[in-house]
Amino acid sequence: MQILTRAELEQHRCEPCRDGAVPCSQAQAEKQLEQLAGWKLVDSGRRIRREWKVKNFLAGLEYFRQVGEAAEDAEHHPDLHLENYRNVAIEIWTHSIGGLSVNDFSLAAKIDAIASSLGLK
């Protein structure tokens, strides 16, 4: 997997993985995560996750609405978690290959842009 800059990740268009595609290595994932502050590897390096605290429950729902639109546009769907009414978390991986692909990091960059537009850190 080629390591992309944050700007390249935001511009990348998710594409379905081809038959026989394999997930990126943990070393590749760690290197790519250098472009995405706040995201971390979870599930033995097969997923990436980031957490935020939002102002209130409705702010969390609005954030997820916008993330949902971006995910639907990319045809790449993350797991969304809302706990204790204002703690939100998102996990991303490529289901078809059971691990991480460039699509996951691209969606993470787009999610970060949404978070930034809403003032989330």
Side-chain angles (χ1 to χ4, degrees), residues 9-109:
L9 288 169
E10 286 183 29
Q11 296 302 313
H12 179 267
R13 180 79 182 149
C14 292
E15 298 176 9
C17 291
R18 297 186 183 119
D19 286 341
V22 296
C24 70
S25 69
Q26 184 150 344
Q28 290 170 319
E30 289 170 353
K31 189 72 173 162
Q32 188 61 77
L33 282 179
E34 292 175 10
Q35 299 295 315
L36 298 168
W39 290 88
K40 62 183 179 183
L41 289 171
V42 296
D43 192 28
S44 300
R46 292 187 297 255
R47 302 178 184 196
I48 55 175
R49 178 182 176 97
R50 183 158 181 200
E51 301 172 357
W52 297 263
K53 188 166 284 214
V54 295
K55 183 177 177 182
N56 55 42
F57 182 75
L58 290 178
L61 292 178
E62 174 59 21
Y63 179 46
F64 282 166
R65 184 191 67 73
Q66 291 186 35
V67 167
E69 287 180 2
E72 190 66 16
D73 182 58
E75 296 181 23
H76 194 54
H77 304 99
D79 283 358
L80 308 175
H81 305 271
L82 175 59
E83 300 173 349
N84 295 324
Y85 82 89
R86 57 185 289 218
N87 298 317
V88 297
I90 297 177
E91 285 189 19
I92 309 171
W93 76 101
T94 300
H95 304 259
S96 63
I97 62 172
L100 295 167
S101 72
V102 67
N103 294 338
D104 303 301
F105 300 101
S106 173
L107 184 57

